[in-house]
Amino acid sequence: MEGKEEDVKLGANKFSERQPIGTSAQTDKDYKEPPPAPLFEPGELKSWSFYRAGIAEFVATFLFLYITVLTVMGVSQSKTKCTTVGIQGIAWAFGGMIFALVYCTAGISGGHINPAVTFGLLLARKLSLTRAVFYMIMQCLGAICGAGVVKGFEGDSRYEMLGGGANVVNHGYTKGDGLGAEIVGTFILVYTVFSATDAKRNARDSHVPILAPLPIGFAVFLVHLATIPITGTGINPARSLGAAIIYNKDHAWDDHWIFWVGPFIGAALAAIYHQIIIRAIPFKTRA
């Protein structure tokens, strides 16, 4: 028996783990940092996949505004919130739609559905300026159409009476409060996007690309829970623009700059934090 125990110990020590799993599976030898996307890519304009991706962004943002603004309308028109889904339901509508739409469009356009996300990825050189501008235009057009369809369903008078789902800084908060909420909220979203779609993590853990839409949608849900009382939660300039254009009231335009400046600052900070602090990509390039 003693001899058999020695054989077992010898075998256990002799044959070490040859296929590491989890975080130890990633080494410098099996991963190479992808090259940055060119700033201008004229060849994209001749590719059908380029326009297909733009159409996917348009349709996704259209559906996003349609579902979310209708949900906001349903909550706003009720005299008592006990009979509606309430703030939690609005947050779930936004987060759930992002989860579903990112899942559907990630393989076609990357599933941005948000100019702030596109801007952050542009700063990280994940896509060209040509594609980024095209995406933003299609996202804004989709948002306008989505909000327009909701107005068609609700009717002009009721749509305007219920606020049209437009983002404004709510009473009791300053413009600085609203700007800060938009910056932090968008930072959380875009940082989650970077982390969930990180190429190095994808190479290391095969399940990460499949699960990516889940944390992104959940981040949107949590940010809405926190900031709906402050600004109604923008963190998406296309969403704010679409609702403001269709609603088209002065008080919606008074604060509208907050819902562009805040998300773009938040996206830029998230890109800098992830690329420079977390991944240290500039330092790796020098080395």
Side-chain angles (χ1 to χ4, degrees):
M1 291 294 293
E2 293 181 358
K4 291 183 179 180
E5 289 180 1
E6 290 297 324
D7 291 341
V8 171
K9 291 180 181 179
L10 178 61
N13 294 329
K14 183 177 180 181
F15 300 102
S16 59
E17 181 65 59
R18 297 194 180 268
Q19 184 59 48
I21 59 177
T23 56
S24 61
Q26 179 61 50
T27 66
D28 292 336
K29 294 181 180 180
D30 60 14
Y31 173 77
K32 292 183 179 180
E33 196 69 45
L39 195 58
F40 297 100
E41 187 66 36
E44 287 184 322
L45 301 177
K46 301 178 182 178
S47 171
W48 163 242
S49 63
F50 175 80
Y51 297 100
R52 180 183 63 181
I55 294 170
E57 288 292 309
F58 172 89
V59 172
T61 316
F62 168 84
L63 295 174
F64 178 63
L65 265 288
Y66 171 74
I67 293 295
T68 55
V69 174
L70 263 182
T71 304
V72 173
M73 295 285 96
V75 173
S76 299
Q77 70 184 350
S78 178
K79 295 180 180 179
T80 170
K81 297 297 183 286
C82 295
T83 59
T84 69
V85 294
I87 289 179
Q88 293 88 348
I90 293 174
W92 274 121
F94 278 87
M97 280 303 291
I98 288 297
F99 167 68
L101 294 170
V102 170
Y103 180 84
C104 292
T105 60
I108 302 171
S109 65
H112 297 190
I113 321 170
N114 185 337
V117 171
T118 301
F119 180 67
L121 295 172
L122 171 65
L123 294 181
R125 302 291 299 276
K126 301 293 186 182
L127 73 165
S128 67
L129 178 62
T130 310
R131 184 176 290 265
V133 172
F134 183 50
Y135 276 14
M136 290 181 189
I137 292 172
M138 297 301 282
Q139 289 158 0
C140 290
L141 290 176
I144 294 168
C145 292
V149 170
V150 173
K151 184 176 182 178
F153 285 166
E154 295 288 338
D156 292 350
S157 59
R158 183 163 58 173
Y159 186 84
E160 293 177 2
M161 179 182 67
L162 298 176
N167 289 119
V168 296
V169 177
N170 292 322
H171 296 295
Y173 296 96
T174 66
K175 293 185 186 297
D177 296 333
L179 182 62
E182 289 297 305
I183 291 173
V184 176
T186 312
F187 177 91
I188 294 170
L189 168 60
V190 178
Y191 177 46
T192 303
V193 170
F194 273 107
S195 298
T197 60
D198 191 299
K200 187 173 183 178
R201 294 187 66 195
N202 293 351
R204 184 179 65 206
D205 299 317
S206 60
H207 65 276
V208 170
I210 301 173
L211 296 178
L214 181 59
I216 296 171
F218 199 61
V220 172
F221 164 71
L222 292 174
V223 171
H224 275 75
L225 279 183
T227 59
I228 282 176
I230 304 174
T231 62
T233 308
I235 69 172
N236 184 335
R239 172 261 188 273
S240 300
L241 179 67
I245 286 178
I246 300 301
Y247 182 57
N248 198 27
K249 297 296 180 182
D250 290 341
H251 68 278
W253 291 113
D254 290 342
D255 300 331
H256 187 69
W257 64 272
I258 291 173
F259 302 101
W260 282 87
V261 175
F264 273 51
I265 292 176
L269 292 175
I272 292 169
Y273 176 66
H274 184 268
Q275 296 296 97
I276 297 178
I277 306 300
I278 300 299
R279 292 296 310 281
I281 289 178
F283 306 106
K284 293 177 182 178
T285 303
R286 291 177 186 176

